[in-house]
Amino acid sequence: MESSSSNAERLTAACVLSIAGGFLDIYTYLCRGRVFANAVTGNMVLFGFHLSNLHWVECSRYLLAILCYALGIFVANLIHRSLPAARRFSWHQTVILLEFLCLAPVCFIPEGEFDFLVNGVISFVCAMQVQTFRKVRGHAYASTMCIGNMRSGTEALCVYFHTRDREVLHKALTYFGVIGLFAVGAGLGALLTGAFAERGIWVSCALLAVSFLIMFIREEEAK
């Protein structure tokens, strides 16, 4: 179990997952009705706005994304608690595999009428990911959003200026690196979504496959 957690906390896995997180966020915004899959706070604000104006269709769109996000957290915890310790894949890899299986069919759903379902699926996936992969190099982080990483990175940078502790500087740089890769993922998503529309989601599937293999290889090496 310790080996599994250590593999999931590796910087390489965190980097790939952060790129995937940025990609998914811009994908849903540009291709699926301008809903951020990861921004629960933003979706809650927009839900309240449309609710106050009695825009029921818009309300349901944002509410579904919020509820699916909550469901994703629940399912990730259920997988963690239910899987036996002796297994071929770690529970982290199992979650990634489930993410892949959820995202792969999305490319076959055309833009427009069923965007609300796609946004629900992607919100579910993002929630599972952020709940499962919570540390990088032993530090708490999020692979699908930036606000917590920005706070932690800036705090660590402030501590470094006060103490000149290089370990703290490395911590700050880890956070800012993850944030930068999230932005790279968003930029990549904007380009590929513009070029391939709904089929661009396959890039995110490929990134998940890479992170799955990274952890699998690392786990075998550790054994």
Side-chain angles (χ1 to χ4, degrees), residues 35-174:
V35 173
F36 284 116
N38 304 322
V40 176
T41 302
N43 289 336
M44 191 71 75
V45 169
L46 291 170
F47 169 74
F49 170 76
H50 290 296
L51 181 65
S52 68
N53 289 282
L54 304 181
H55 298 159
W56 303 118
V57 174
E58 297 295 325
C59 279
S60 63
R61 171 169 83 162
Y62 290 105
L63 181 60
L64 179 63
I66 293 166
L67 293 178
C68 285
Y69 197 94
L71 179 62
I73 294 173
F74 182 87
V75 170
N77 276 288
L78 189 64
I79 291 173
H80 187 195
R81 294 176 182 275
S82 301
L83 287 182
R87 52 187 178 271
R88 176 63 173 169
F89 302 141
S90 69
W91 77 276
H92 301 90
Q93 291 170 300
T94 302
V95 168
I96 287 184
L97 183 60
L98 181 56
E99 287 184 59
F100 182 93
L101 294 175
C102 288
L103 292 179
V106 166
C107 69
F108 301 109
I109 302 176
E111 296 179 55
E113 184 178 1
F114 297 104
D115 284 349
F116 70 99
L117 290 177
V118 172
N119 289 330
V121 169
I122 295 179
S123 292
F124 173 79
V125 164
C126 289
M128 285 198 300
Q129 183 169 309
V130 77
Q131 180 65 14
T132 302
F133 299 93
R134 304 173 66 171
K135 289 187 177 182
V136 54
R137 289 181 170 176
H139 308 307
Y141 94 114
S143 63
T144 63
M145 60 189 71
C146 292
I147 185 169
N149 297 334
M150 181 64 74
R151 179 191 61 79
S152 298
T154 305
E155 180 182 30
L157 189 62
C158 183
V159 172
Y160 168 73
F161 285 135
H162 180 69
T163 64
R164 300 298 176 180
D165 185 338
R166 285 195 168 272
E167 286 296 321
V168 177
L169 178 61
H170 291 159
K171 178 181 178 180
L173 293 177
T174 297

